[in-house]
Amino acid sequence: MNQYRYPQEELCPGCGRTEGVELTRVTSRVCAWTCTRCGLNWAISVVNPHLRPDHPTDLAVAVRQLSAARAILTQIIVLAEEAPTITSAELRSRLLALAQCAR
């Protein structure tokens, strides 16, 4: 019939019984059932791998973003340690420069 194998006796997720469970639809991507005992309808579909995000690319972007955030936080810590020895104007300008880098 198709390449997808479905159980011959499917348990109803609603009542947990096999009596009254009827297969209502079978395609190459979806199998659907109904339970005449409790009235529940459900389906199982095949995952489309081409619709999933490209995790290695997402991971690489996340690593770059975290590295940039870490560098900025390191500079903020250094600035906090130097704050007592610099003027308020210099502190403000360095904080603004860090804020622009963060964007």
Side-chain angles (χ1 to χ4, degrees), residues 68-91:
R70 184 173 184 246
I72 291 172
L73 286 174
T74 301
Q75 292 176 10
I76 290 172
I77 291 168
V78 168
L79 183 57
E81 291 171 352
E82 294 176 355
T85 62
I86 60 177
T87 65
S88 295
E90 186 179 351
L91 179 61

Side-chain angles (χ1 to χ4, degrees), residues 52-59:
R52 285 186 273 171
D54 190 9
H55 295 292
T57 302
D58 294 343
L59 184 60

Side-chain angles (χ1 to χ4, degrees), residues 27-43:
T27 68
S28 63
R29 297 190 184 273
V30 178
C31 287
W33 294 268
T34 188
C35 179
T36 57
R37 294 180 61 91
C38 70
L40 182 70
N41 296 307
W42 72 98

Side-chain angles (χ1 to χ4, degrees), residues 2-99:
N2 64 31
Q3 68 210 31
Y4 181 72
R5 292 184 180 191
Y6 55 91
Q8 296 300 318
E9 285 194 12
E10 180 72 16
L11 284 175
C12 173
C15 64
R17 306 183 93 171
T18 57
E19 302 88 21
V21 173
E22 298 173 1
L23 187 64
T24 58
R25 181 176 178 206
V26 177
T27 68
S28 63
R29 297 190 184 273
V30 178
C31 287
W33 294 268
T34 188
C35 179
T36 57
R37 294 180 61 91
C38 70
L40 182 70
N41 296 307
W42 72 98
I44 298 174
S45 67
V46 178
V47 174
N48 293 328
H50 68 280
L51 297 177
R52 285 186 273 171
D54 190 9
H55 295 292
T57 302
D58 294 343
L59 184 60
V61 169
V63 167
R64 282 194 302 273
Q65 290 172 344
L66 287 172
S67 295
R70 184 173 184 246
I72 291 172
L73 286 174
T74 301
Q75 292 176 10
I76 290 172
I77 291 168
V78 168
L79 183 57
E81 291 171 352
E82 294 176 355
T85 62
I86 60 177
T87 65
S88 295
E90 186 179 351
L91 179 61
R92 273 194 300 274
S93 76
R94 287 175 62 183
L95 282 172
L96 284 172
L98 286 173

